[in-house]
Amino acid sequence: AVVSTQSTGYLKSLYNDKSRCTVGLKVPAILQKQLLSVGKVYYNYTRCNVVERIHVQQCYRCHGFNHKVIDCTSDVLVCKRCGENHDVKKCINSGKVFCINCHKSKNHQGDAKSHHSSDRNCPVLQDMRAQMTKN
């Protein structure tokens, strides 16, 4: 598949060398299905594999999902690393990790101490991505 910026509205080269090519595409759902079924796209004469990436917005104040800091209703700043009430830049708990989202979740409370709140492999985040692909 050859993709142009006219068909996508968004095309950005994120990384490109001889061994790997990463390109960000924001496309309509019908084109997304076509690209995923083909499995590759050509960009700057380089063949790139197509993978689905589901973006979930995360707040930098409370580290909850589906909102930004400007829309956050929390008055408390939560450290993304240790889960305590301070900015991550001032965190002194370098050996401690704690996920506030797993802690609040009924299904993943046991996972809260295995990763930090912005870990891309967070089970709560993975559940949200799975739910978004169903819709």
Side-chain angles (χ1 to χ4, degrees), residues 11-24 41-49:
L11 180 65
K12 182 178 180 183
S13 178
L14 304 173
Y15 186 84
N16 191 1
D17 71 11
K18 295 194 185 306
S19 63
R20 192 170 65 160
C21 175
T22 303
V23 178
V41 63
Y42 290 91
Y43 177 71
N44 285 345
Y45 306 104
T46 303
R47 189 182 94 172
C48 302
N49 294 330

Side-chain angles (χ1 to χ4, degrees), residues 43-134:
Y43 177 71
N44 285 345
Y45 306 104
T46 303
R47 189 182 94 172
C48 302
N49 294 330
V50 175
V51 294
E52 187 173 35
R53 179 179 172 262
I54 309 286
H55 176 73
V56 178
Q57 198 171 56
Q58 187 170 21
C59 176
Y60 292 114
R61 179 183 293 150
C62 71
H63 295 284
F65 296 114
N66 295 326
H67 68 279
K68 296 179 183 180
V69 171
I70 197 166
D71 301 317
C72 186
T73 57
S74 175
D75 294 332
V76 180
L77 181 65
V78 176
C79 176
K80 74 175 183 177
R81 183 182 302 140
C82 72
E84 293 182 10
N85 296 343
H86 56 259
D87 191 316
V88 69
K89 294 174 188 169
K90 297 178 181 175
C91 186
I92 59 170
N93 302 315
S94 60
K96 178 183 176 186
V97 291
F98 186 81
C99 177
I100 196 70
N101 295 305
C102 285
H103 177 69
K104 291 179 179 178
S105 167
K106 292 178 182 167
N107 298 330
H108 300 291
Q109 285 181 340
D111 295 322
K113 294 181 180 179
S114 67
H115 60 280
H116 56 79
S117 296
S118 59
D119 190 316
R120 67 181 179 184
N121 295 316
C122 171
V124 175
L125 178 60
Q126 296 300 324
D127 288 352
M128 290 185 76
R129 285 183 175 148
Q131 187 64 34
M132 291 171 79
T133 56
K134 287 181 184 177

